[in-house]
Amino acid sequence: MFSSNDLISFIRSYYNDDSFIPLHRPTFDHHEKENVLDTIESSFVSSVGGYVNEFEKLLESYTGATKAVAMVNGTAALHCALYSAGVEPGDIVITQAVTFVATCNVIHYLHATPLFIDVNKYSLGLCPDALSLYLEENALIDSDGQCRHRKTSQIIRAIVPMHTFGHPVQLFELNNVCQKWNIVLVEDAAESLGSLYKGKHTGTFGKLAALSFNGNKIITTGGGGATLCMDENLGKHVKHLSTTAKVPHPFEYFHDEVGFNYRMPNLNAALGCAQVGKLNQFVLSKRELAREYQCFFDGSKFSFVTEPEYARSNYWLNAIICPSKIEKEHLLKETNANGVMTRPLWQLANTLPMFEGALRGALPNSEWLIDRVVNLPSTPLEKSCI
Ligand SMILES: *Cc1c(COP(=O)(O)O)cnc(C)c1O
């Protein structure tokens, strides 16, 4: 019989650690120190310096994106991505109810409104069947070829699926729905750096995507993010936008449109350059930990969330599905009281006060998951990372 104490002992012995065990802790060695020190000694800690370009090149070659633009955080990267995707005030942007609040906030920043669609239990991400069904019942293509909501007449401009805990959504199926309805696909790949969908990196399937390098993500720049673009010219424009839309000139200040000051500082990029070098090791180490968890829960009443069969996941955050809400609450209480950090799923976005009135489809799977999902400590083991 399974008890929370067995899980606590298992996690403590895996990490060989009797002190507090966080959900996810960054891993650094002398490379990060050397790079950061270098920016301080050269005085290039801010908006000028070579690490930003180098970090962008490293991200491009790792993901296969045509252009990566480093930003101050993942939220800024997603804001810039949706703005560049052409989202306008009054538009609808479809996303999933199971996501971090940033996904919904950026829709609001653009004076657009979110529309929440269900996830499937299999990927924990936006369900193509639920999306398709909702559009069949509630959308039409107008005489200009635009997808509009039948009730509100708003343009449904974009969808933002999110690769929950690093597990890729069904990108081909979602892309097909987008093509049929003339909707732009923008991936929230904040959690899935290192995850592949049918052999290709997540974040390279839509028109644009956003990554995050916050302290709890698979690699970190302290705070940071990047917008990925699959089109060279669009990428150049995103970079222009993120740097106050300043037109290059030896001394004049001329800005040709309203831009953002979202550029990642060189100090943060220096950390990022060292972190990218360890990314493959982090992914391997996290996949190993996932296997250990899977064996641990095998035959118990808890089901461990594994990668969908079409994907190779980075297992950024390991997760289990508890048999009931009561068991979920019990497990959260016991582990956290004993210094092992575990967390429930984010409150469903449609239940947050600012998005309560938003349009939504039926959300049976989201509501089922919120009662049952628990995230477990997922820091990659250091010994296998160096
Ligand atoms: C982390 C995260 C973000 C935003 O990243 P920040 O760098 O913290 O702004 C956006 N979406 C999802 C799903 C995330 O997990």
Side-chain angles (χ1 to χ4, degrees):
M1 267 306 284
F2 172 95
S3 82
S4 341
N5 280 338
D6 295 338
L7 176 60
I8 292 165
S9 320
F10 169 77
I11 293 170
R12 291 210 174 282
S13 82
Y14 184 80
Y15 286 109
N16 191 20
D17 191 346
D18 288 331
S19 56
F20 174 72
I21 298 180
L23 211 55
H24 199 281
R25 168 164 42 208
T27 304
F28 303 126
D29 62 24
H30 64 99
H31 291 110
E32 282 83 359
K33 276 191 194 159
E34 285 161 15
N35 282 10
V36 170
L37 203 60
D38 181 45
T39 66
I40 293 171
E41 285 171 349
S42 69
S43 88
F44 289 116
V45 293
S46 189
S47 50
V48 181
Y51 284 110
V52 178
N53 288 339
E54 186 185 334
F55 186 51
E56 289 175 343
K57 290 278 161 288
L58 288 170
L59 291 174
E60 285 159 14
S61 69
Y62 192 92
T63 60
T66 307
K67 191 90 194 71
V69 183
M71 308 251 179
V72 286
N73 58 51
T75 308
L78 194 57
H79 185 195
C80 218
L82 275 184
Y83 180 81
S84 305
V87 173
E88 291 178 11
D91 286 351
I92 285 174
V93 176
I94 295 175
T95 190
Q96 52 201 62
V98 173
T99 189
F100 179 57
V101 69
T103 320
C104 316
N105 284 344
V106 298
I107 296 169
H108 188 84
Y109 297 166
L110 293 165
H111 304 285
T113 51
L115 188 166
F116 299 110
I117 296 291
D118 208 10
V119 296
N120 55 41
K121 292 180 187 175
Y122 173 62
S123 72
L124 311 180
L126 197 69
C127 174
D129 297 334
L131 175 67
S132 188
L133 190 70
Y134 184 90
L135 291 171
E136 295 293 344
E137 288 176 353
N138 296 285
L140 54 83
I141 298 282
D142 72 10
S143 52
D144 294 331
Q146 288 288 358
C147 180
R148 284 182 187 269
H149 199 280
R150 282 191 208 163
K151 260 203 210 105
T152 68
S153 296
Q154 290 168 283
I155 292 177
I156 302 177
R157 188 78 64 181
I159 71 161
V160 187
M162 195 277 280
H163 306 294
T164 307
F165 310 144
H167 298 305
V169 298
Q170 290 162 277
L171 283 158
F172 281 179
E173 289 82 353
L174 287 175
N175 241 330
N176 285 340
V177 179
C178 285
Q179 256 151 38
K180 174 168 178 201
W181 290 94
N182 191 20
I183 301 175
V184 183
L185 179 72
V186 175
E187 292 171 70
D188 183 342
E191 306 186 352
S192 67
L193 179 61
S195 296
L196 307 178
Y197 173 87
K198 300 193 175 174
K200 198 172 153 224
H201 204 284
T202 53
T204 61
F205 289 85
K207 189 169 184 182
L208 298 121
L211 304 176
S212 167
F213 313 113
N214 189 32
N216 63 348
K217 295 301 200 295
I218 189 161
I219 64 166
T220 186
T221 58
T227 304
L228 301 182
C229 311
M230 295 314 287
D231 178 274
E232 182 75 34
N233 287 331
L234 183 62
K236 281 186 183 143
H237 189 228
V238 167
K239 191 152 180 172
H240 183 62
L241 274 173
S242 71
T243 50
T244 67
K246 184 182 180 296
V247 177
H249 188 279
F251 47 84
E252 292 288 355
Y253 295 108
F254 182 72
H255 306 261
D256 61 359
E257 63 183 304
V258 175
F260 303 97
N261 181 15
Y262 279 174
R263 191 91 173 119
M264 175 185 281
N266 203 44
L267 184 65
N268 300 78
L271 201 63
C273 288
Q275 288 269 287
V276 177
K278 302 188 177 85
L279 183 49
N280 280 332
Q281 257 314 312
F282 289 162
V283 173
L284 286 176
S285 177
K286 278 169 164 293
R287 293 178 60 81
E288 236 173 75
L289 171 56
R291 255 199 313 276
E292 298 271 338
Y293 273 131
Q294 195 179 352
C295 290
F296 177 82
F297 287 107
D298 192 31
S300 81
K301 57 192 171 179
F302 294 83
S303 105
F304 179 74
V305 177
T306 54
E307 64 195 356
E309 106 283 333
Y310 51 74
R312 183 177 190 272
S313 175
N314 69 0
Y315 283 94
W316 169 58
L317 276 193
N318 289 291
I320 49 168
I321 296 176
C322 302
S324 68
K325 189 175 178 180
I326 292 169
E327 308 241 20
K328 176 198 79 163
E329 281 164 1
H330 177 75
L331 186 67
L332 283 167
K333 213 168 108 212
E334 290 292 312
T335 47
N336 285 294
N338 284 284
V340 171
M341 185 169 166
T342 59
R343 285 292 179 267
L345 205 55
W346 311 277
Q347 288 290 319
L348 298 184
N350 59 293
T351 67
L352 301 177
M354 56 287 191
F355 302 117
E356 245 170 13
L359 292 165
R360 63 185 185 91
L363 304 170
N365 293 336
S366 307
E367 283 155 5
W368 188 86
L369 288 165
I370 185 88
D371 283 344
R372 291 170 179 79
V373 170
V374 171
N375 284 127
L376 304 172
S378 300
T379 304
L381 255 198
E382 258 180 82
K383 69 173 194 297
S384 52
C385 296
I386 291 169

